[in-house]
Short mmCIF file of all heavy atoms in Angstrom, two decimals:
data_model
loop_
_atom_site.label_atom_id
_atom_site.label_comp_id
_atom_site.label_asym_id
_atom_site.label_seq_id
_atom_site.Cartn_x
_atom_site.Cartn_y
_atom_site.Cartn_z
N LEU A 249 -1.86 -60.85 17.15
CA LEU A 249 -2.04 -59.46 17.60
C LEU A 249 -3.41 -58.92 17.20
O LEU A 249 -3.79 -57.82 17.62
CB LEU A 249 -0.94 -58.56 17.04
CG LEU A 249 0.36 -58.50 17.79
CD1 LEU A 249 1.30 -57.47 17.15
CD2 LEU A 249 0.13 -58.13 19.25
N GLY A 250 -4.10 -59.67 16.33
CA GLY A 250 -5.44 -59.26 15.91
C GLY A 250 -5.42 -58.03 15.04
O GLY A 250 -6.30 -57.18 15.14
N GLN A 251 -4.41 -57.93 14.16
CA GLN A 251 -4.32 -56.75 13.31
C GLN A 251 -4.27 -57.13 11.82
O GLN A 251 -3.81 -58.24 11.46
CB GLN A 251 -3.07 -55.95 13.65
CG GLN A 251 -3.11 -55.33 15.06
CD GLN A 251 -1.89 -54.50 15.37
OE1 GLN A 251 -0.79 -54.78 14.90
NE2 GLN A 251 -2.09 -53.47 16.18
N VAL A 252 -4.70 -56.20 10.99
CA VAL A 252 -4.48 -56.31 9.55
C VAL A 252 -3.62 -55.12 9.15
O VAL A 252 -3.65 -54.10 9.85
CB VAL A 252 -5.82 -56.31 8.78
CG1 VAL A 252 -6.66 -57.49 9.14
CG2 VAL A 252 -6.58 -55.00 8.93
N PRO A 253 -2.83 -55.25 8.10
CA PRO A 253 -2.79 -56.35 7.14
C PRO A 253 -2.07 -57.58 7.68
O PRO A 253 -1.09 -57.47 8.40
CB PRO A 253 -1.99 -55.75 5.97
CG PRO A 253 -1.07 -54.76 6.58
CD PRO A 253 -1.85 -54.18 7.72
N THR A 254 -2.59 -58.75 7.26
CA THR A 254 -1.86 -59.99 7.42
C THR A 254 -1.88 -60.65 6.05
O THR A 254 -2.91 -60.78 5.42
CB THR A 254 -2.53 -60.91 8.45
OG1 THR A 254 -2.50 -60.22 9.72
CG2 THR A 254 -1.77 -62.22 8.58
N LEU A 255 -0.70 -61.02 5.59
CA LEU A 255 -0.56 -61.62 4.25
C LEU A 255 -0.10 -63.06 4.40
O LEU A 255 0.91 -63.34 5.06
CB LEU A 255 0.49 -60.82 3.44
CG LEU A 255 0.66 -61.28 1.98
CD1 LEU A 255 -0.58 -60.96 1.15
CD2 LEU A 255 1.89 -60.65 1.34
N ILE A 256 -0.89 -63.96 3.83
CA ILE A 256 -0.47 -65.36 3.78
C ILE A 256 0.32 -65.58 2.50
O ILE A 256 -0.19 -65.35 1.40
CB ILE A 256 -1.68 -66.33 3.83
CG1 ILE A 256 -2.65 -65.92 4.99
CG2 ILE A 256 -1.24 -67.75 3.99
CD1 ILE A 256 -2.06 -65.97 6.39
N LEU A 257 1.54 -65.99 2.68
CA LEU A 257 2.43 -66.18 1.51
C LEU A 257 2.05 -67.47 0.77
O LEU A 257 1.38 -68.33 1.35
CB LEU A 257 3.90 -66.25 2.01
CG LEU A 257 4.39 -65.03 2.80
CD1 LEU A 257 5.82 -65.23 3.29
CD2 LEU A 257 4.27 -63.75 1.97
N PRO A 258 2.49 -67.62 -0.47
CA PRO A 258 2.13 -68.83 -1.24
C PRO A 258 2.50 -70.14 -0.51
O PRO A 258 1.84 -71.14 -0.73
CB PRO A 258 2.92 -68.66 -2.52
CG PRO A 258 3.07 -67.18 -2.66
CD PRO A 258 3.23 -66.63 -1.32
N ASP A 259 3.52 -70.13 0.35
CA ASP A 259 3.86 -71.38 1.04
C ASP A 259 3.10 -71.53 2.34
O ASP A 259 3.36 -72.47 3.12
CB ASP A 259 5.37 -71.44 1.32
CG ASP A 259 5.84 -70.38 2.31
OD1 ASP A 259 5.00 -69.65 2.89
OD2 ASP A 259 7.08 -70.29 2.53
N GLY A 260 2.16 -70.65 2.64
CA GLY A 260 1.29 -70.81 3.80
C GLY A 260 1.71 -70.04 5.02
O GLY A 260 0.95 -69.94 6.00
N ARG A 261 2.93 -69.47 5.02
CA ARG A 261 3.36 -68.71 6.18
C ARG A 261 2.63 -67.36 6.22
O ARG A 261 2.37 -66.75 5.20
CB ARG A 261 4.86 -68.46 6.16
CG ARG A 261 5.68 -69.66 6.60
CD ARG A 261 7.15 -69.38 6.47
NE ARG A 261 7.48 -69.05 5.09
CZ ARG A 261 8.54 -68.36 4.70
NH1 ARG A 261 9.38 -67.90 5.60
NH2 ARG A 261 8.81 -68.11 3.41
N ALA A 262 2.38 -66.91 7.45
CA ALA A 262 1.72 -65.60 7.62
C ALA A 262 2.79 -64.51 7.80
O ALA A 262 3.80 -64.74 8.49
CB ALA A 262 0.82 -65.62 8.84
N MET A 263 2.54 -63.39 7.14
CA MET A 263 3.43 -62.26 7.34
C MET A 263 2.61 -61.06 7.78
O MET A 263 1.57 -60.75 7.17
CB MET A 263 4.17 -61.96 6.03
CG MET A 263 5.27 -60.96 6.23
SD MET A 263 6.38 -60.90 4.81
CE MET A 263 7.54 -59.69 5.43
N THR A 264 3.08 -60.39 8.85
CA THR A 264 2.39 -59.18 9.34
C THR A 264 3.40 -58.02 9.23
O THR A 264 4.53 -58.22 8.80
CB THR A 264 1.93 -59.33 10.79
OG1 THR A 264 3.10 -59.42 11.63
CG2 THR A 264 1.08 -60.56 10.99
N GLU A 265 2.95 -56.84 9.59
CA GLU A 265 3.74 -55.61 9.56
C GLU A 265 3.83 -55.07 8.14
O GLU A 265 4.59 -55.55 7.30
CB GLU A 265 5.13 -55.77 10.18
CG GLU A 265 5.10 -56.30 11.61
CD GLU A 265 4.15 -55.48 12.55
OE1 GLU A 265 4.12 -54.25 12.44
OE2 GLU A 265 3.42 -56.12 13.31
N SER A 266 3.03 -54.02 7.93
CA SER A 266 2.85 -53.47 6.58
C SER A 266 4.16 -53.12 5.90
O SER A 266 4.37 -53.48 4.72
CB SER A 266 1.96 -52.23 6.68
OG SER A 266 2.42 -51.35 7.70
N ALA A 267 5.06 -52.42 6.60
CA ALA A 267 6.31 -52.03 5.93
C ALA A 267 7.15 -53.24 5.56
O ALA A 267 7.71 -53.30 4.45
CB ALA A 267 7.13 -51.08 6.84
N ALA A 268 7.21 -54.21 6.47
CA ALA A 268 7.99 -55.43 6.19
C ALA A 268 7.45 -56.12 4.95
O ALA A 268 8.19 -56.61 4.08
CB ALA A 268 7.95 -56.34 7.39
N ILE A 269 6.10 -56.14 4.84
CA ILE A 269 5.47 -56.81 3.67
C ILE A 269 5.86 -56.09 2.37
O ILE A 269 6.25 -56.72 1.37
CB ILE A 269 3.93 -56.86 3.84
CG1 ILE A 269 3.58 -57.76 5.05
CG2 ILE A 269 3.26 -57.36 2.58
CD1 ILE A 269 2.11 -57.71 5.45
N LEU A 270 5.78 -54.77 2.40
CA LEU A 270 6.09 -54.00 1.18
C LEU A 270 7.57 -54.16 0.82
O LEU A 270 7.93 -54.33 -0.36
CB LEU A 270 5.77 -52.51 1.40
CG LEU A 270 4.37 -52.07 0.93
CD1 LEU A 270 3.25 -52.93 1.51
CD2 LEU A 270 4.12 -50.62 1.21
N ILE A 271 8.44 -54.11 1.82
CA ILE A 271 9.88 -54.23 1.54
C ILE A 271 10.15 -55.62 0.99
O ILE A 271 10.88 -55.80 0.02
CB ILE A 271 10.71 -53.94 2.81
CG1 ILE A 271 10.58 -52.47 3.21
CG2 ILE A 271 12.18 -54.34 2.62
CD1 ILE A 271 11.07 -52.14 4.62
N TYR A 272 9.54 -56.65 1.61
CA TYR A 272 9.75 -58.03 1.19
C TYR A 272 9.34 -58.19 -0.28
O TYR A 272 10.08 -58.72 -1.12
CB TYR A 272 8.95 -58.95 2.10
CG TYR A 272 8.95 -60.40 1.64
CD1 TYR A 272 10.14 -61.15 1.70
CD2 TYR A 272 7.79 -60.99 1.14
CE1 TYR A 272 10.12 -62.47 1.26
CE2 TYR A 272 7.79 -62.33 0.75
CZ TYR A 272 8.95 -63.06 0.80
OH TYR A 272 8.96 -64.37 0.37
N LEU A 273 8.10 -57.77 -0.62
CA LEU A 273 7.60 -57.96 -1.98
C LEU A 273 8.42 -57.12 -2.99
O LEU A 273 8.67 -57.58 -4.10
CB LEU A 273 6.11 -57.60 -2.03
CG LEU A 273 5.16 -58.55 -1.29
CD1 LEU A 273 3.73 -58.05 -1.33
CD2 LEU A 273 5.25 -59.98 -1.88
N GLY A 274 8.81 -55.93 -2.59
CA GLY A 274 9.59 -55.10 -3.47
C GLY A 274 10.94 -55.76 -3.80
O GLY A 274 11.38 -55.74 -4.96
N ASP A 275 11.52 -56.39 -2.81
CA ASP A 275 12.80 -57.04 -3.03
C ASP A 275 12.64 -58.35 -3.80
O ASP A 275 13.57 -58.78 -4.50
CB ASP A 275 13.50 -57.33 -1.69
CG ASP A 275 14.02 -56.01 -1.07
OD1 ASP A 275 13.96 -54.97 -1.72
OD2 ASP A 275 14.47 -56.07 0.09
N LEU A 276 11.48 -58.97 -3.63
CA LEU A 276 11.23 -60.27 -4.28
C LEU A 276 11.04 -60.10 -5.78
O LEU A 276 11.31 -61.02 -6.57
CB LEU A 276 9.99 -60.90 -3.67
CG LEU A 276 9.79 -62.38 -3.70
CD1 LEU A 276 10.99 -63.10 -3.08
CD2 LEU A 276 8.53 -62.78 -2.92
N TYR A 277 10.56 -58.94 -6.18
CA TYR A 277 10.29 -58.70 -7.61
C TYR A 277 11.04 -57.44 -8.06
O TYR A 277 10.43 -56.42 -8.39
CB TYR A 277 8.78 -58.56 -7.85
CG TYR A 277 8.00 -59.75 -7.40
CD1 TYR A 277 7.37 -59.81 -6.16
CD2 TYR A 277 7.92 -60.89 -8.20
CE1 TYR A 277 6.67 -60.94 -5.74
CE2 TYR A 277 7.21 -62.03 -7.79
CZ TYR A 277 6.59 -62.04 -6.55
OH TYR A 277 5.91 -63.16 -6.12
N PRO A 278 12.39 -57.52 -8.05
CA PRO A 278 13.19 -56.31 -8.30
C PRO A 278 13.01 -55.76 -9.73
O PRO A 278 13.18 -54.56 -9.95
CB PRO A 278 14.64 -56.78 -8.07
CG PRO A 278 14.61 -58.26 -8.17
CD PRO A 278 13.23 -58.71 -7.81
N ASP A 279 12.63 -56.64 -10.66
CA ASP A 279 12.51 -56.19 -12.05
C ASP A 279 11.42 -55.12 -12.20
O ASP A 279 11.42 -54.37 -13.16
CB ASP A 279 12.18 -57.36 -12.99
CG ASP A 279 13.33 -58.34 -13.05
OD1 ASP A 279 14.41 -58.01 -12.52
OD2 ASP A 279 13.15 -59.42 -13.61
N GLN A 280 10.49 -55.13 -11.28
CA GLN A 280 9.36 -54.20 -11.39
C GLN A 280 9.72 -52.80 -10.90
O GLN A 280 8.94 -51.86 -11.07
CB GLN A 280 8.18 -54.74 -10.59
CG GLN A 280 7.81 -56.13 -11.02
CD GLN A 280 6.44 -56.16 -11.65
OE1 GLN A 280 5.98 -55.18 -12.22
NE2 GLN A 280 5.77 -57.28 -11.55
N SER A 281 10.86 -52.71 -10.20
CA SER A 281 11.41 -51.40 -9.80
C SER A 281 10.53 -50.49 -8.94
O SER A 281 10.53 -49.27 -9.07
CB SER A 281 11.81 -50.59 -11.06
OG SER A 281 12.64 -51.34 -11.85
#
Side-chain angles (χ1 to χ4, degrees):
L249 274 184
Q251 294 182 328
V252 298
T254 298
L255 184 69
I256 310 299
L257 303 178
D259 67 5
R261 280 176 302 157
M263 190 166 181
T264 68
E265 303 309 318
S266 50
I269 294 170
L270 267 53
I271 292 167
Y272 173 69
L273 291 175
D275 288 353
L276 205 54
Y277 302 98
D279 294 351
Q280 305 245 27
S281 306

